[in-house]
Amino acid sequence: MQEFGDFANIDIDKLLKTADGQFAQMEELQKTMADLVGRAQDEDGLVVVEYSAEGLHELELHPKAMRLSSGELAEMIKEVVREAAADLQKQVSEAMGEVFGEEDNPMKFINDPEAALEQVRSAEASYNRTFEDVMGELDRIRRRLDL
């Protein structure tokens, strides 16, 4: 009878405990993510923004902001919204880094799409090698059985 290689030595209890731990971490991450809010304000405190996963969560305009031209105010609001969204993204990245570790943090690929493509290429190459190994083994079995 053919051995199963390293698969015969898998500690199922350890595997299940690890999976349970990962599910618990993901559940905690979901709760954390729901509570994250990015915050920003301009240097004079005229525009204050809170940005959450749902988008713009809070917008406060100081009465002095109304003295600005509509164009200046619009630009200021857009800039502060961008800063609040960036703050939220930073918090999400930190939360995911705590769960996945910095090396495996999926958020690192947002700013580095080439690294993401490299991961995909590596996975594809690994898949292709495995597929070729399996097909080669099946071919050897077919020949041995004279099929």
Side-chain angles (χ1 to χ4, degrees), residues 1 24 32 44-46 49 68 74 82 89 95 105 111 125 131 136 142:
M1 181 164 145
T32 299
D44 297 321
L46 300 177
V49 169
L68 299 171
R82 278 192 291 273
Q89 184 177 353
N105 187 344
N111 296 324
F131 180 78
R142 181 189 56 78

Side-chain angles (χ1 to χ4, degrees), residues 53-126:
E54 290 84 33
L56 184 60
H57 182 70
E58 190 71 40
L59 172 63
E60 292 180 22
L61 300 175
H62 191 280
K64 290 181 182 179
M66 298 307 159
R67 296 181 186 152
L68 299 171
S69 72
S70 62
E72 290 173 321
L73 181 58
E75 285 304 313
M76 186 178 288
I77 290 171
K78 289 190 288 187
E79 179 58 31
V80 176
V81 167
R82 278 192 291 273
E83 290 172 9
D87 182 48
L88 176 63
Q89 184 177 353
K90 178 179 169 256
Q91 291 178 46
V92 167
S93 183
E94 289 170 356
M96 292 183 88
E98 289 175 19
V99 171
F100 295 105
E102 286 309 314
E103 183 63 31
D104 296 324
N105 187 344
M107 292 299 288
K108 72 180 180 181
F109 297 119
I110 286 179
N111 296 324
D112 191 359
E114 191 56 41
L117 285 173
E118 184 54 38
Q119 286 279 349
V120 169
R121 288 183 197 112
S122 176
E124 179 184 33
S126 179

Side-chain angles (χ1 to χ4, degrees), residues 32-49:
T32 299
M33 299 281 270
D35 295 336
L36 294 180
V37 177
R39 293 176 176 82
Q41 68 179 26
D42 71 290
E43 60 189 33
D44 297 321
L46 300 177
V47 176
V48 179
V49 169

